[in-house]
């Protein structure tokens, strides 16, 4: 696990494209297009990287071969600069784990590192969205907060009304 930087743009975009192709757990029906990947990176990820918010990349590969990025996670504290809030919060941007590497504890390690960094930045809570169709991520989140002894509550629901 290493800190992600703007120099990792290509690797992060590759992970985003893979996530958009799988369309698992995304709360927006994003098509796997270069436009969507570029815009998501520019609007969601890049500001967090510029702000030096908690953002991490994990790479792996066969012994002796170059490693490739297999996971990325970041949150953004930019909202604290934009709004006057009652407390300092972070917004969970995205966590991506390449399919072959899921269910190996990588997201748990990433989230622990992101939350530790956020806490060290004076962040009091993290707001995140997990699609109800993404049961593994939801269960992972619940297990993580329980094991870490964190307070957790549902604060909002999103609804889709087809018209």
């Amino acid at each position: 696990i290493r800190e992600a930087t703007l120099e990792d743009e290509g690797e992060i975009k590759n992970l985003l494209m893979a996530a958009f192709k799988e369309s698992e757990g995304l709360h927006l029906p994003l098509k796997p297009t270069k436009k969507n990947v570029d815009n998501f990176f520019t609007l969601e990820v890049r500001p967090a990287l510029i702000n030096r918010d908690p953002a991490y990349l994990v790479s792996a590969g066969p012994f002796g071969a170059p490693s490739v990025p297999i996971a990325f996670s970041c949150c953004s504290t930019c909202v604290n600069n934009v709004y006057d809030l009652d407390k300092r919060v972070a917004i969970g941007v995205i966590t991506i784990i390449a399919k072959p590497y899921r269910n190996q504890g990588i997201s748990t390690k990433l989230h622990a590192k992101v939350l530790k960094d956020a806490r060290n930045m004076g962040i009091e809570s993290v707001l995140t969205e997990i699609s109800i169709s993404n049961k593994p991520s939801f269960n992972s989140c619940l297990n993580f907060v329980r094991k870490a002894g964190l307070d957790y509550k549902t604060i909002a629901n999103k609804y889709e009304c087809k018209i």
Side-chain angles (χ1 to χ4, degrees), residues 12-112:
I12 295 168
K13 284 183 173 180
N14 287 340
L15 287 168
L16 288 170
M17 181 61 83
F20 293 177
K21 283 179 181 173
E22 294 167 6
S23 190
E24 294 177 348
L26 298 174
H27 59 274
L28 286 175
L30 295 173
K31 293 180 180 180
T33 64
K34 182 180 181 324
K35 174 185 171 183
N36 282 344
V37 167
D38 288 346
N39 286 333
F40 190 93
F41 182 87
T42 300
L43 297 173
E44 305 287 345
V45 176
R46 192 170 196 278
L49 296 177
I50 289 170
N51 202 43
R52 302 211 28 120
D53 286 334
Y56 290 95
L57 199 59
V58 177
S59 296
F63 181 73
S67 63
V68 296
I70 59 157
F72 173 72
S73 185
C74 77
C75 70
S76 173
T77 64
C78 297
V79 67
N80 298 288
N81 300 328
V82 176
Y83 299 107
D84 296 322
L85 303 172
D86 290 332
K87 60 185 173 188
R88 290 186 46 78
V89 301
I91 307 294
V93 174
I94 196 164
T95 297
I96 304 165
I97 311 295
K99 227 173 195 167
Y101 297 92
R102 293 181 186 165
N103 300 311
Q104 296 180 30
I106 295 170
S107 68
T108 299
K109 290 176 184 166
L110 281 170
H111 290 151

